[in-house]
Amino acid sequence: MSMTDTTTAAAQVVSVKPVVLPAPDRGEDLRVRVSAPATGRNLPVVVLSHGFGWSMDGYGPLADHWTAHGFVVAQPTHLDSRTLALPPDDPRTPLIWRWRVADLTHVLDRLDAVEAAVPGLAGRLDRDRIAVAGHSWGGQTASMLLGARVLDDAGRPGEDLSDRRVSAGVLLATPGSGGADLTPFAAEHFPFMNPDFARMTPPALVVAGDQDRSALSVRGPDWFADPYRLSPGGKSLLTLFGAEHSLGGIVGHGAAETTDESPARVALVQRLTTAYLRSALDPGDPAWPAACAALAAEPGPLGRIETS
């Protein structure tokens, strides 16, 4: 369905938290923040996975913008959130990456409950247009629903956790390949950081900062472009000039993690991710090619776009 069925200019939004989704096998019920436009029908859905330690309360600059431009945004709080204070010796810790993926799937499984939790949202979701998004560790989490896998010690791809309900993704500052590209500390403590992007076939926008140098990798900022370069075609890469891991401040205004604060850069990420999601979920929507052309025409642009 066309995005003309939803509002494309900034609109009033309704946000509800926590939406509690029972999850008895998880040890903690899944708490989710759900935000939706106050009006409009046939609304596409974005499930947004936070970075390490964050929660459903983070990423307001993105979640609020997407919602105001026609998307329903669901933000689960993963078990690594500082708000849960999971002890390091908790038996769930070794597979917490796997619980993260399950959280996103659980949101999709319980869309009826998500819809019912927001006053006036019933019957307004378009369940044929679903995207996942994530920042940092959340980017790896989101990539798994798009078909990325974790390689085992022998280099064999692990379990396929992809979800056919997901049509597209936005991967922000997402870690790249593992193995020799990891520091010894990362290789020892984070064995799940060994992704295989070869089966990540749905369209996705990868966003990377050209000054994002991770303490987990022996490589430089190009490491964060791996989800684009090591996956099948049909992807786009937005490289942000001067951006570090927070990409100007997408995690939250004034957040301590923001070492490269730039309202202009955040505004660019807002504008381009919104355009990408519109076109990726509705191929007839010209928002993405128009946004690419506009960026290329800007004097002194804040980034560049590549496509595969």
Side-chain angles (χ1 to χ4, degrees), residues 127-147:
R127 302 187 186 209
D128 292 326
R129 291 190 295 160
I130 297 175
V132 290
H135 173 246
S136 193
W137 196 5
Q140 182 180 12
T141 304
S143 76
M144 303 293 288
L145 271 71
L146 297 170

Side-chain angles (χ1 to χ4, degrees), residues 5 9 15 36 60 96 98-99 128 145 195-196 219 226 241 290 306:
D5 291 331
S15 185
I96 205 163
R98 180 65 178 80
W99 285 110
D128 292 326
L145 271 71
D196 172 24
R219 287 170 52 193
D226 281 358
F241 303 148
E306 303 171 47

Side-chain angles (χ1 to χ4, degrees), residues 1-73:
M1 296 182 182
S2 171
M3 282 289 292
T4 56
D5 291 331
T6 71
T7 180
T8 56
Q12 288 185 324
V13 305
V14 177
S15 185
V16 176
K17 70 167 190 178
V19 175
V20 180
L21 303 180
D25 294 338
R26 187 176 181 263
E28 302 270 352
D29 286 340
L30 181 61
R31 293 174 174 261
V32 185
R33 177 175 180 162
V34 182
S35 304
T39 60
R41 302 191 64 82
N42 301 316
L43 302 171
V45 178
V46 181
V47 184
L48 173 57
S49 178
H50 62 73
F52 175 76
W54 277 87
S55 72
M56 61 183 172
D57 293 321
Y59 299 91
L62 288 182
D64 294 349
H65 190 270
W66 292 341
T67 305
H69 288 81
F71 297 87
V72 174
V73 180

Side-chain angles (χ1 to χ4, degrees), residues 32-214:
V32 185
R33 177 175 180 162
V34 182
S35 304
T39 60
R41 302 191 64 82
N42 301 316
L43 302 171
V45 178
V46 181
V47 184
L48 173 57
S49 178
H50 62 73
F52 175 76
W54 277 87
S55 72
M56 61 183 172
D57 293 321
Y59 299 91
L62 288 182
D64 294 349
H65 190 270
W66 292 341
T67 305
H69 288 81
F71 297 87
V72 174
V73 180
Q75 296 174 259
T77 295
H78 298 302
L79 289 173
D80 58 277
S81 173
R82 289 186 289 267
T83 64
L84 298 179
L86 203 69
D89 60 352
D90 187 283
R92 292 166 292 182
T93 298
L95 287 177
I96 205 163
W97 69 270
R98 180 65 178 80
W99 285 110
R100 280 177 144 263
V101 179
D103 289 346
L104 303 190
T105 302
H106 194 50
V107 171
L108 298 180
D109 290 343
R110 299 298 304 274
L111 279 181
D112 285 345
V114 168
E115 188 177 63
V118 181
L121 186 58
R124 296 169 54 213
L125 297 185
D126 185 344
R127 302 187 186 209
D128 292 326
R129 291 190 295 160
I130 297 175
V132 290
H135 173 246
S136 193
W137 196 5
Q140 182 180 12
T141 304
S143 76
M144 303 293 288
L145 271 71
L146 297 170
R149 300 192 190 183
V150 172
L151 299 173
D152 65 17
D153 292 341
R156 296 182 297 254
E159 183 181 1
D160 179 6
L161 300 174
S162 62
D163 196 308
R164 292 185 179 180
R165 293 170 292 187
V166 176
S167 302
V170 174
L171 308 179
L172 303 134
T174 298
S177 57
D181 290 337
L182 297 180
T183 62
F185 176 86
E188 178 182 355
H189 292 90
F190 308 121
F192 59 85
M193 292 185 66
N194 196 20
D196 172 24
F197 299 109
R199 297 166 179 81
M200 195 175 76
T201 55
L205 172 63
V206 177
V207 183
D210 71 358
Q211 298 300 313
D212 188 357
R213 292 177 172 82
S214 175

